Amino acid sequence: NAGVTQTPKFQVLKTGQSMTLQCAQDMNHNSMYWYRQDPGMGLRLIYYSASEGTTDKGEVPNGYNVSRLNKREFSLRLESAAPSQTSVYFCASSEVGGWAGELFFGEGSRLTVL
Amino acid sequence: KNQVEQSPQSLIILEGKNCTLQCNYTVSPFSNLRWYKQDTGRGPVSLTIMTFSENTKSNGRYTATLDADTKQSSLHITASQLSDSASYICVVSAQQAGTALIFGKGTTLSVSS
């Protein structure tokens, strides 16, 4: 079982470049999330999608956009990357809303912005 | 302000020994408390989810306790193995609209032979 799959696993960008992180889940989950993890900090929510067709801002949405393409796929886009966006990004999914449902995480996408 | 504090920040133990990790939270209204294990370079994996009414929950050699009155939780690891070396993250859910998960910074456990 693949679970939550993220691509790419590693990426190096120059300041100002754009890129999209892809996420797909095969568990038929309704909710999907994007988190970032920085050294010495807990995971922080960037955006989430409670169900297909809806997206909402999380704790740190500035500089990011998301698209819930269908029930399986949830992408995160950086329009103009900045060094402050150097981080490890995790996609997660849950069958029900986040405060009740168990989260299943992908393996992470490690992004460096020079 | 909703917060989750974990201690210790890091811990080194010998293989076969037991250890206990702590989590204190100030989250209201409380929904549930989760413990995740995150291996280096991997995504977090759920160990336990505990609701308000659950005091103890086990998953193999992992036992989580919850004291909702004092707003404290602990994760006890019995007979540690080298594969237990990881970061352990405490996450508390607040019962509110949207998704309100408050993540602790984690405790890094190193098990040595």
Side-chain angles (χ1 to χ4, degrees):
Chain A
N1 291 334
V4 178
T5 303
Q6 294 182 229
T7 56
K9 288 184 169 49
F10 300 93
Q11 184 72 50
V12 178
L13 292 177
K14 294 181 179 179
T15 297
Q17 288 184 319
S18 63
M19 76 158 299
T20 300
L21 301 178
Q22 305 287 353
C23 175
Q25 53 92 7
D26 63 3
M27 296 172 283
N28 201 36
H29 285 172
N30 291 308
S31 301
M32 298 185 73
Y33 314 83
W34 277 105
Y35 287 90
R36 61 177 290 173
Q37 186 175 40
D38 300 296
M41 302 185 73
L43 275 83
R44 292 182 292 171
L45 182 65
I46 304 171
Y47 271 94
Y48 67 98
S49 171
S51 61
E52 185 178 357
T54 68
T55 61
D56 286 286
K57 295 179 180 179
E59 181 184 358
V60 288
N62 291 344
Y64 306 95
N65 285 302
V66 291
S67 296
R68 183 75 182 265
L69 305 172
N70 48 56
K71 191 171 185 178
R72 290 187 63 249
E73 298 173 288
F74 189 38
S75 63
L76 178 71
R77 182 161 179 84
L78 287 71
E79 290 292 352
S80 179
S84 61
Q85 293 178 305
T86 293
S87 187
V88 182
Y89 292 86
F90 288 98
C91 178
S93 70
S94 65
E95 186 174 7
V96 296
W99 60 263
E102 180 176 355
L103 287 182
F104 293 83
F105 287 88
E107 295 296 334
S109 297
R110 286 145 185 83
L111 175 65
T112 300
V113 183
L114 302 175
Chain B
K1 181 180 178 183
N2 289 330
Q3 285 187 315
V4 175
E5 300 288 341
Q6 293 187 243
S7 62
Q9 185 175 357
S10 62
L11 182 63
I12 302 173
I13 62 173
L14 289 175
E15 186 178 15
K17 298 296 186 182
N18 303 335
C19 68
T20 300
L21 313 180
Q22 300 289 343
C23 174
N24 296 337
Y25 62 92
T26 55
V27 175
S28 181
F30 175 86
S31 175
N32 60 60
L33 184 145
R34 312 149 186 235
W35 283 95
Y36 285 85
K37 178 187 180 188
Q38 184 176 21
D39 292 322
T40 301
R42 308 293 295 274
V45 174
S46 178
L47 293 175
T48 65
I49 298 178
M50 303 178 69
T51 60
F52 183 88
S53 60
E54 295 175 299
N55 295 325
T56 303
K57 203 162 190 177
S58 292
N59 178 357
R61 294 180 296 102
Y62 300 99
T63 299
T65 65
L66 174 63
D67 186 334
D69 292 332
T70 62
K71 297 186 178 181
Q72 295 180 325
S73 175
S74 65
L75 180 69
H76 185 75
I77 304 174
T78 304
S80 61
Q81 300 176 358
L82 296 178
S83 59
D84 292 330
S85 295
S87 178
Y88 292 85
I89 303 171
C90 177
V91 186
V92 180
S93 297
Q95 201 168 35
Q96 62 189 56
T99 181
L101 297 179
I102 299 92
F103 286 76
K105 295 179 181 179
T107 292
T108 300
L109 173 64
S110 298
V111 181
S112 60
S113 58

